[in-house]
Amino acid sequence: MSRFKGRADRGRVIELLSNLVAIDSVNPSGEGGSQGEAQLAEYLADFFRDLRMEVSTQEALPGRPNVLARWKGSRSDRTLLFQSHLDTVTASNMPDGLRPRLEGSKLHGRGACDIKGATAAFLHTLELLAPQREELPADLLYLGAVDEEIAYTGSRFFVQNGGRADAAVVFEPTGLQPVIAHKGALRVRIATHGRSAHTARPELGDNAIYQMAEVVRALRKRIEATLPERQHPLCGSATLAVSRISGGLQINIVPPACYADIDWRTLPDEDPTGEVLDRLRGFLDQLNREQPWIHAEVDRIISSYRGLDTPVDAPIVGAALGACQTILGSSQPAGAPYGTDASELAQAMPCVVLGPGDIAQAHTSDEWVDVEQVAQAAEIYAELAMRF
């Protein structure tokens, strides 16, 4: 039986989503990201103030504020956090990305799927819950976090500065299925070191690119090929990809150095900078011993984050499954191969990742989200808030 007494307004959902898509919030690390998230943060803050919510900001990065808004419920001792990231990836591959376009039930635009669709749904959720505000069993806290697309800086700043709640719903395109587990990641740069020489006398040098070729071959055989031996019931196996290689000075010089970037997607229960990094370093040390002509090392850690593995019996999971069951008619816990801000938030509270859209549409040159799913998400979030 539904505890939420309302229905989403499809027209209002389209209006809210169109407003959000039209605001440039490209991450400054991406091409064309000069605006950052500040304009979107201002729009959201004004929206929340109009609903008489308590609004504040956190400058997680210079000129890039997190937005916080609290709506008091009937009990001040419980808080449910709803979280979305404010940034999008570059619109350079989507020149009309800031011009929302509705075709049938699909609304096209940069960020429509990742993650402004869910954000628009939540804004409408608050409008729908207004008549039942005094019945809310917990305070609702919203966090709009910066820099998710690069380093999860906003959500990390929130946690490190004492941000807490009893549970969190993190917005990402999950097809309206509650994701309770997702992978972590270790991204590192491997270096091989050689010696330069004139390419007319290559035997006088030590070719670092040749070394790296052997490192990559051994990496695929000894580590990548063994990853399927360990499986997570919702996330499958860890994966590894060599995603970028660079090296050499010019065409007539034997390359003295070569670099390879590695993206290792770890299982939810693995520590990326602990056991996983130790395994990679151990592999390189062994290879150096076996083949003394190779001089390879981990040059630097580019980034890392832990996975998510929320127990299925956590109250937030039950509330999310119940809300989806009520609105959609069916629901089951799911896993995901990608990372989210839940990696940071889960250090302080149990999390579920839940939102409209398909991750396959995110970051594409024709990003879109189904507005029917966005409307359903608004009802799911409202039902979840009433259940928690």
Side-chain angles (χ1 to χ4, degrees):
M1 179 179 177
S2 177
R3 305 179 191 184
F4 158 62
K5 305 178 182 72
R7 292 295 301 274
D9 181 332
R10 182 180 182 275
R12 179 58 172 160
V13 163
I14 293 171
E15 179 185 10
L16 289 167
L17 178 53
S18 297
N19 290 344
L20 296 180
V21 168
I23 298 173
D24 183 351
S25 58
V26 172
N27 191 296
S29 297
E31 183 179 347
S34 59
Q35 299 296 318
E37 304 95 338
Q39 187 179 352
L40 179 56
E42 183 178 355
Y43 173 92
L44 292 173
D46 288 343
F47 183 95
F48 296 134
R49 290 190 187 100
D50 287 344
L51 288 175
R52 295 181 293 112
M53 298 177 73
E54 301 172 3
V55 180
S56 61
T57 59
Q58 298 175 319
E59 193 153 355
L61 290 166
R64 300 173 65 186
N66 286 344
V67 177
L68 290 165
R70 182 179 292 272
W71 207 359
K72 290 288 187 179
S74 61
R75 290 179 56 182
S76 60
D77 63 330
R78 287 172 58 78
T79 299
L80 176 60
L81 174 69
F82 288 90
Q83 188 269 352
S84 67
H85 60 87
L86 304 180
D87 58 329
T88 71
V89 295
T90 180
S92 62
N93 65 334
M94 196 177 188
D96 294 327
L98 299 181
R99 298 175 185 170
R101 184 179 83 257
L102 183 65
E103 293 182 353
S105 66
K106 298 177 181 178
L107 193 141
H108 301 253
R110 175 54 77 226
C113 178
D114 186 14
I115 189 55
K116 293 180 178 180
T119 306
F122 179 70
L123 298 185
H124 192 41
T125 292
L126 295 175
E127 294 175 333
L128 295 172
L129 284 175
Q132 293 182 258
R133 182 170 179 173
E134 299 303 319
E135 300 174 38
L136 286 170
D139 286 3
L140 300 188
L141 176 63
Y142 170 79
L143 166 65
V146 301
D147 200 41
E148 185 271 349
E149 295 292 358
I150 300 299
Y152 306 151
T153 305
S155 55
R156 184 179 305 114
F157 186 92
F158 171 76
V159 172
Q160 290 179 346
N161 285 271
R164 294 294 183 270
D166 292 283
V169 180
V170 176
F171 299 158
E172 288 292 344
T174 70
L176 299 181
Q177 292 301 310
V179 166
I180 66 171
H182 67 60
K183 295 180 183 179
L186 173 67
R187 297 182 179 120
V188 301
R189 178 162 295 166
I190 293 175
T192 51
H193 304 286
R195 184 176 63 257
S196 60
H198 197 297
T199 51
R201 294 291 306 278
E203 72 278 6
L204 299 179
D206 183 353
N207 195 315
I209 291 178
Y210 290 172
Q211 293 184 40
M212 187 62 75
E214 180 60 21
V215 170
V216 171
R217 185 200 67 79
L219 186 69
R220 297 196 65 194
K221 181 178 180 181
R222 300 187 189 184
I223 293 186
E224 184 180 357
T226 67
L227 294 179
E229 294 172 3
R230 264 197 91 209
Q231 297 280 328
H232 184 276
L234 295 177
C235 297
S237 66
T239 60
L240 185 150
V242 179
S243 52
R244 181 167 51 188
I245 289 182
S246 60
L249 301 174
Q250 64 184 52
I251 196 168
N252 58 350
I253 299 176
V254 173
C258 185
Y259 304 93
D261 291 349
I262 310 298
D263 189 333
W264 189 329
R265 300 297 175 121
T266 61
L267 294 180
D269 61 348
E270 293 179 320
D271 182 356
T273 56
E275 61 194 280
V276 177
L277 181 60
D278 288 345
R279 183 179 180 187
L280 180 60
R281 283 178 167 151
F283 155 77
L284 293 174
D285 289 343
Q286 182 178 356
L287 193 64
N288 291 338
R289 289 193 300 270
E290 293 173 352
Q291 303 186 58
W293 64 279
I294 294 176
H295 311 285
E297 65 176 355
V298 173
D299 182 65
R300 68 184 181 95
I301 298 173
I302 298 171
S303 64
S304 68
Y305 58 85
R306 297 197 68 131
L308 173 71
D309 205 4
T310 305
V312 72
D313 60 353
I316 185 60
V317 176
L321 290 171
C324 290
Q325 176 72 36
T326 298
I327 304 303
L328 303 177
S330 64
S331 184
Q332 59 183 5
Y338 51 82
T340 75
D341 273 320
S343 297
E344 298 297 331
L345 296 176
Q347 309 308 309
M349 67 199 79
C351 297
V352 166
V353 184
L354 177 63
D358 188 331
I359 195 67
Q361 297 302 325
H363 302 187
T364 67
S365 60
D366 187 27
E367 183 175 351
W368 57 267
V369 69
D370 188 326
V371 295
E372 303 298 340
Q373 273 202 14
V374 177
Q376 289 175 321
E379 295 183 3
I380 288 170
Y381 296 151
E383 179 70 20
L384 201 163
M386 294 300 295
R387 284 173 173 267
F388 184 72

